[in-house]
Amino acid sequence: MMRMLQRSLLPLVLLLVSFTSICSQASTGLVLDSSVTNLRLNGQLQFFEDKSNRLRVEDIAQQLQAFQIYEKESVNEGYSSSAWWFSFQLYNNEQVPIHWWLDISYPLLDEVELYELDPATGSIRSIAQTGDTRPLSSRSAKTSTFVFPLQLQPQREYRYLLRVWTTGTIAVPMELHSSTTFIEYYGDQRLLTGIYHGGAFFLMLYNIGLLLAVRERLYLYYVMYVAFFLLTTFTATGVGFEFLWTDQYWIQSGAMPITIMCSCI
């Protein structure tokens, strides 16, 4: 009787073990396929704080076990002199290669580096080493924010290592977009930014006209305020670095405190 019971339970046990194995493999990273168009990395990140700010990606790759789960809703560590490393894993569940984009929509980070680590071979590939203290040509795409291309071969898993260091606020909002969704997303963002800056610029021109017509000093102050406000938003959104002071990264990294101070005066 016991032998028959064991034989009947054996297939069930094997099925359960197989299912558990599949689930454990799937849970190691985000699964990408045609049904997914965009993803936030909240809850999928691991982090490591390099307080010495001296570790290279080769050093980090040797101590992946030191990474901890990042439990906050969004990456914001305030002011810190440390270099922050973030790790996440992606799995291409399709039968063909897929192309995704990682968007970091905070353009005021001094150094941003993204590396691809192949778990199967252990090889490391540098995708981009950029930041607002480096020329615009160092970016994977000439955009106002930090955008990185991710090429994933079919039925393969990849680990990505992101290094961030800055003298300002460590804020790293990350979002993944498929190639088609990214075009639509970035087009909408560009349209909204253009409307916002265009409205402020029209307001400045209108007050310049009033200044010339009325000759009142108050309008001069208002025109100066709007001009410095525009420069501040150009810097904060990265639009100025993309179009106005391209590759003059010393302006992008140092203009914000000056323009804010002048706006307040």
Side-chain angles (χ1 to χ4, degrees):
M1 183 68 179
M2 288 295 297
R3 186 172 298 177
M4 293 180 59
L5 183 61
Q6 290 176 355
R7 288 180 180 179
S8 62
L9 289 178
L10 182 59
L12 181 61
V13 172
L14 292 176
L15 180 63
L16 181 61
V17 171
S18 176
F19 179 76
T20 305
S21 176
I22 294 173
C23 289
S24 63
Q25 292 178 4
S27 64
T28 57
L30 290 169
V31 179
L32 304 179
D33 53 37
S34 58
S35 65
V36 183
T37 56
N38 62 284
L39 289 168
R40 292 185 180 272
L41 291 174
N42 297 348
Q44 299 293 332
L45 286 174
Q46 294 179 313
F47 79 98
F48 176 79
E49 182 182 3
D50 174 18
K51 296 183 179 180
S52 67
N53 194 17
R54 294 180 180 178
L55 296 179
R56 301 175 303 170
V57 63
E58 292 82 6
D59 303 321
I60 296 296
Q62 297 299 321
Q63 47 184 311
L64 295 176
Q65 68 280 359
F67 277 70
Q68 303 176 32
I69 297 176
Y70 196 84
E71 297 180 349
K72 296 181 182 179
E73 286 295 326
S74 58
V75 178
N76 193 326
E77 293 299 326
Y79 290 91
S80 173
S81 59
S82 304
W84 291 79
W85 290 85
F86 300 96
S87 171
F88 60 95
Q89 293 172 266
L90 300 178
Y91 179 79
N92 178 11
N93 200 33
E94 294 289 327
Q95 299 298 326
V96 294
I98 57 176
H99 183 193
W100 279 63
W101 293 88
L102 171 65
D103 178 36
I104 301 177
S105 56
Y106 184 66
L108 301 179
L109 298 171
D110 292 350
E111 297 178 5
V112 184
E113 303 171 5
L114 183 65
Y115 302 92
E116 179 186 271
L117 176 62
D118 190 340
T121 63
S123 61
I124 301 173
R125 183 175 69 92
S126 174
I127 296 178
Q129 299 182 28
T130 184
D132 73 350
T133 58
R134 295 169 177 171
L136 187 67
S137 57
S138 67
R139 303 188 180 187
S140 302
K142 293 185 178 180
T143 56
S144 55
T145 58
F146 302 113
V147 177
F148 304 94
L150 307 178
Q151 298 277 1
L152 291 87
Q153 296 302 314
Q155 301 296 313
R156 290 187 63 182
E157 186 178 59
Y158 295 89
R159 179 188 287 268
Y160 295 93
L161 297 173
L162 177 71
R163 177 186 177 272
V164 176
W165 179 85
T166 187
T167 55
T169 304
I170 301 289
V172 194
M174 287 179 270
E175 195 166 353
L176 291 168
H177 301 274
S178 66
S179 55
T180 304
T181 306
F182 176 73
I183 296 174
E184 300 173 356
Y185 165 80
Y186 196 73
D188 293 341
Q189 293 295 317
R190 182 60 60 87
L191 177 62
L192 292 175
T193 303
I195 293 174
Y196 179 79
H197 288 122
F201 187 72
F202 174 79
L203 184 63
M204 185 179 69
L205 291 180
Y206 176 74
N207 282 274
I208 289 176
L210 291 178
L211 173 65
L212 296 176
V214 181
R215 305 287 180 175
E216 182 67 40
R217 184 176 298 180
L218 178 64
Y219 290 107
L220 174 62
Y221 294 149
Y222 191 72
V223 167
M224 294 175 61
Y225 166 76
V226 176
F228 283 117
F229 175 78
L230 272 174
L231 289 175
T232 301
T233 57
F234 281 157
T235 306
T237 59
V239 173
F241 191 42
E242 183 181 0
F243 293 107
L244 300 180
W245 45 82
T246 303
D247 287 349
Q248 303 300 320
Y249 46 87
W250 58 272
I251 298 179
Q252 177 66 17
S253 60
M256 179 73 78
I258 298 174
T259 54
I260 291 178
M261 181 180 64
C262 293
S263 297
C264 294
I265 294 176

